Amino acid sequence: MIRAATVDDIAEIRAMIRELAEYERAAEQARATEEQLRDALFGEHPAAFALIAEDDETRQTVGFALWFPRFSTWTGTRGMHLEDLYVRSHARGGGHGKDLLASLAAICEQNGYERFEWWVLAWNEPTIDFYTSLGVELLNEWTVCRLSGEPLKELAARAPADLNQTPAL
């Protein structure tokens, strides 16, 4: 079963984020707290949304998908960015990942989102094979860019002093 996450799912979502980070060999980077996730998903201005996959028989949480809207200047429409998709190892192969992706695709269709995009680690061949089996187009000509930490601070310091700052959303 796939359902919208509730505030009661925060601890499980955080646990699965840690499990995903361990799988992706980056456990030290998964620093989000339950409080941060609660605010991001259920605060006054949600930054993201989540779906939960439950085992049909046991009702145990076996996976999640966390996404947020994005905007394309080329199409002039919103789209969806899938930040995380994770199915616990014992539940893989049971259709939960496919069900989560199908549910996200349905959200895209319902909202007129023309693009549904996400990243996958280049070394994660089983996941890449799964995605391509669904007809996913791999955009190999694009490179992800990230600015964080000290380089982000240094670049921000170069902003004009009279910058009209946009409030955080």
Side-chain angles (χ1 to χ4, degrees):
M1 178 178 91
I2 306 298
R3 62 173 176 78
T6 69
V7 71
D8 294 333
D9 294 310
I10 294 296
E12 282 284 353
I13 291 170
R14 183 173 183 273
M16 288 185 288
I17 289 169
R18 299 275 310 155
E19 292 168 27
L20 174 61
E22 289 171 13
Y23 174 76
E24 292 184 348
R25 307 171 190 159
E28 70 285 351
Q29 295 178 39
R31 299 184 320 247
T33 66
E34 287 186 24
E35 182 179 325
Q36 288 172 314
L37 291 170
R38 185 176 296 106
D39 185 53
L41 297 172
F42 302 104
E44 187 175 341
H45 300 287
F49 305 91
L51 296 178
I52 298 292
E54 291 182 345
D55 182 272
D56 289 334
E57 294 177 17
T58 66
R59 292 291 191 228
Q60 295 294 312
T61 300
V62 295
F64 82 108
L66 192 141
W67 66 276
F68 55 87
R70 59 187 305 165
F71 180 77
S72 169
T73 58
W74 289 23
T75 67
T77 62
R78 284 188 176 210
M80 176 183 287
H81 177 80
L82 175 59
E83 180 66 17
D84 286 331
L85 174 75
Y86 179 72
V87 175
R88 289 182 159 144
S89 59
H90 73 274
R92 292 182 189 144
H96 304 292
K98 192 178 291 186
D99 289 348
L100 283 165
L101 287 169
S103 297
L104 294 168
I107 292 169
C108 289
E109 287 293 309
Q110 292 165 4
N111 289 286
Y113 295 174
E114 291 188 29
R115 293 181 176 170
F116 176 19
E117 298 175 334
W118 63 94
W119 305 337
V120 61
L121 290 167
W123 59 260
N124 195 346
E125 291 183 29
T127 301
I128 291 170
D129 292 345
F130 168 63
Y131 290 152
T132 56
S133 77
L134 299 175
V136 168
E137 174 188 7
L138 299 177
L139 303 177
N140 295 323
E141 68 274 13
W142 291 88
T143 300
V144 175
C145 300
R146 177 178 292 157
L147 189 61
S148 62
E150 199 57 37
L152 175 62
K153 291 177 185 176
E154 289 172 11
L155 185 58
R158 295 181 184 179
D162 61 347
L163 176 67
N164 182 9
Q165 297 181 4
T166 305
L169 302 176

